[in-house]
Amino acid sequence: MKLKNLIIFGTRPEAIKMAPLIHEFKKNSVKFETRVCITAQHREMLDQVLDFFNIKPDYDLNLMRPNQNLYNLTSDIILNLKPVLEDFKPDFVYVHGDTTTTMAAALTSFYHGSKVCHIEAGLRTYNLQSPFPEEMNRQVTTVLANFNFAPTETSKNNLINEGRSEKSICVTGNTVIDALFYGIEKVNAPNYTDAQIDYLKKIIKNDKKLILVTGHRRENHGGGFIRICESLKQIAEQHPDVQIIYPVHLNPNVKKPVYELLSGIDNISLIAPLAYPAFIWLMEKAHLLITDSGGVQEEAPSLGKPVLVMRDTTERPEAVTVGTVILVGTVKEKIISETERLLNDEHAYHQMSKVINPYGDGKASERIVEFIMKQTDEL
Ligand code: UD1
Ligand code: UDP
């Protein structure tokens, strides 16, 4: 009898990071029946990823609501996942990272009695307010997980220090690198065509240094985003030789201040979120990145791009240690001074633009499947 896998996710980054694992499990269809369930905590931004990786979900809970809140989203996920678990009765449920989907799906699967497999386990700041609510989501998921797939030794050590058993943990690298290698090869293939890339080619000013910006963290909503926008405005005004391209996250708490404060500035292009292939294509073209994104911090070192991270804490110390990432918080002076250092000081720029990949070698999904195979041999 085949073992039943249910892979559950809801947001853009989870989809990017789960896509390689879905394809890896589908290669092993003799041993596993693998189904995909999306909560659709995100809608458009999730669908963009599903299209690129050619993933057709078996269950689509379609839960996103405009400007949703954590209370409704959490309870909707739990109530709507129950019938899916009762229908498919998975042996293993896979959740990723630290979103509300991750935590609520892990909890529902625990209630149901499926084994919970946590991908990207063990990242920690040990500050429940930063990132909020992600630090709580991942700690709760750890408590519920039977198997923990840690991207790095640092994340494994966090889990060991919290009392997780060594044999429940497998260090895999991050599946984001599996996705990135696949994506970069595809977008650079001579016959690849992409309307968003054609559009980007039209708006990029080749005589200027390109700064790529993204941001969405809940703890930066409000004052944090106002300071971020003021910093970007000042950088753009004082450096006419720079072009800032900012694909703006669809969360209204981000979109509203960003469009209000940064529209109409000549060398700032505010655009809609890009589909994954166009985004990684643009990352390759960028001189530097300013972001509060987790995934972007993991991808950029592979492409040799310095990253300024607009957060006070990090659960990804590896890139800071190798020197490709600097934390600047949402402090205006710090965002501006570190950006100017990278624009003006070639030595500092080259120190940060090393192509070092602390997050993996592109084989994380293979390792996850191998590990699960071993567990099932013992069942
Ligand atoms: C969520 C995750 C965060 C993750 C981020 C990745 C939680 C609590 N937050 O934050 O951990 O890092 O995704 O981007 O799990 N929206 C759309 N279309 C979309 C996506 C979002 O319109 O495709 C708008 C909707 O109004 C939605 C709002 O954004 O209600 C907020 O979405 P939500 O998933 O709750 O929060 P994010 O800020 O996206
Ligand atoms: N990304 C994308 N389009 C964009 C911006 C980002 O496809 O316009 C990708 C990016 O390559 C990375 C992921 O989305 O893989 C990061 O998502 P996000 O920053 O929303 O979430 P986080 O990683 O912080 O949870």
Side-chain angles (χ1 to χ4, degrees):
M1 222 177 58
K2 288 190 193 187
L3 283 151
K4 295 201 267 182
N5 284 330
L6 185 64
I7 300 185
I8 306 176
F9 53 92
T11 66
R12 168 174 69 190
E14 294 164 81
I16 292 167
K17 291 168 166 183
M18 285 295 214
L21 183 63
I22 294 167
H23 288 300
E24 200 58 38
F25 269 127
K26 297 254 174 175
K27 282 192 218 157
N28 287 279
S29 59
V30 175
K31 182 141 190 173
F32 297 107
E33 180 184 357
T34 300
R35 292 193 193 173
V36 173
C37 173
I38 55 169
T39 62
Q41 172 179 338
H42 282 175
R43 188 72 269 174
E44 306 89 310
M45 286 162 55
L46 176 68
D47 293 343
Q48 286 180 326
V49 181
L50 299 179
D51 283 349
F52 179 66
F53 287 98
N54 198 17
I55 292 166
K56 298 191 176 31
D58 301 279
Y59 306 92
D60 181 348
L61 307 184
N62 198 23
L63 294 178
M64 195 195 84
R65 299 287 168 264
N67 208 4
Q68 62 208 1
N69 64 61
L70 297 174
Y71 309 89
N72 288 347
L73 181 60
T74 306
S75 53
D76 283 351
I77 293 170
I78 294 171
L79 293 174
N80 286 276
L81 264 181
K82 179 174 177 276
V84 173
L85 295 168
E86 287 171 351
D87 169 54
F88 184 44
K89 303 182 181 59
D91 299 294
F92 296 96
V93 169
Y94 299 81
V95 295
H96 183 281
D98 54 21
T99 69
T100 297
T101 290
T102 315
M103 185 272 292
L107 181 59
T108 318
S109 306
F110 168 77
Y111 288 155
H112 181 260
S114 301
K115 287 198 163 38
V116 175
C117 306
H118 187 199
I119 319 297
E120 200 182 82
L123 278 67
R124 294 289 186 268
T125 61
Y126 294 108
N127 176 348
L128 288 177
Q129 300 305 318
S130 176
F132 176 91
E134 289 83 2
E135 180 67 15
M136 175 281 292
N137 285 336
R138 57 195 175 215
Q139 289 197 25
V140 169
T141 304
T142 294
V143 171
L144 300 168
N146 299 83
F147 300 115
N148 302 282
F149 296 95
T152 65
E153 288 294 331
T154 311
S155 38
K156 174 181 174 175
N157 290 336
N158 291 335
L159 295 168
I160 296 281
N161 292 337
E162 290 170 26
R164 300 295 114 193
S165 76
E166 178 110 31
K167 64 177 195 214
S168 76
I169 307 169
C170 175
V171 177
T172 59
N174 198 308
T175 56
V176 77
I177 305 299
D178 308 16
L180 183 67
F181 287 175
Y182 169 84
I184 289 285
E185 195 181 324
K186 205 162 162 185
V187 294
N188 288 324
N191 55 352
Y192 181 74
T193 54
D194 186 315
Q196 284 191 341
I197 294 179
D198 292 342
Y199 164 74
L200 289 171
K201 282 181 183 160
K202 284 195 196 122
I203 66 164
I204 288 177
K205 299 186 169 99
N206 288 317
D207 57 334
K208 295 188 194 287
K209 283 183 178 165
L210 173 60
I211 300 181
L212 177 57
V213 177
T214 77
H216 67 81
R217 298 244 81 89
R218 265 181 163 69
E219 65 274 14
N220 288 343
H221 290 176
F225 267 97
I226 293 174
R227 290 190 296 278
I228 289 169
C229 290
E230 286 172 353
S231 313
L232 296 174
K233 189 172 178 194
Q234 192 167 321
I235 292 165
E237 285 171 353
Q238 290 180 352
H239 297 272
D241 57 328
V242 154
Q243 179 182 18
I244 295 175
I245 300 189
Y246 183 170
V248 185
H249 194 288
L250 295 179
N251 191 326
N253 301 297
V254 176
K255 232 176 136 176
K256 192 167 178 287
V258 170
Y259 277 90
E260 272 174 16
L261 295 168
L262 295 180
S263 292
I265 299 170
D266 200 36
N267 52 345
I268 298 186
S269 310
L270 302 178
I271 59 175
L274 291 165
Y276 182 63
F279 187 77
I280 57 179
W281 180 90
L282 190 59
M283 250 200 299
E284 274 200 309
K285 302 280 170 286
H287 187 66
L288 68 103
L289 289 103
I290 307 182
T291 188
D292 64 14
S293 161
V296 172
Q297 280 179 69
E298 293 157 341
E299 291 160 340
S302 313
L303 303 174
K305 303 297 171 184
V307 189
L308 301 181
V309 175
M310 300 181 291
R311 292 184 44 190
D312 301 323
T313 57
T314 184
E315 59 286 291
R316 293 173 172 86
E318 299 85 356
V320 178
T321 306
V322 297
T324 58
V325 161
I326 292 179
L327 293 189
V328 292
T330 55
V331 181
K332 220 172 131 182
E333 294 71 29
K334 186 101 174 129
I335 298 174
I336 296 169
S337 66
E338 289 297 339
T339 303
E340 290 186 333
R341 201 165 68 89
L342 286 170
L343 290 172
N344 300 331
D345 179 345
E346 261 185 56
H347 178 69
Y349 182 84
H350 286 296
Q351 285 292 101
M352 279 189 78
S353 61
K354 295 170 259 182
V355 184
I356 293 177
N357 199 327
Y359 297 110
D361 58 3
K363 294 189 167 48
S365 309
E366 279 175 41
R367 293 190 186 99
I368 295 167
V369 174
E370 257 171 48
F371 181 93
I372 293 293
M373 291 264 204
K374 280 200 197 117
Q375 308 305 314
T376 58
D377 291 344
E378 287 161 20
L379 285 179

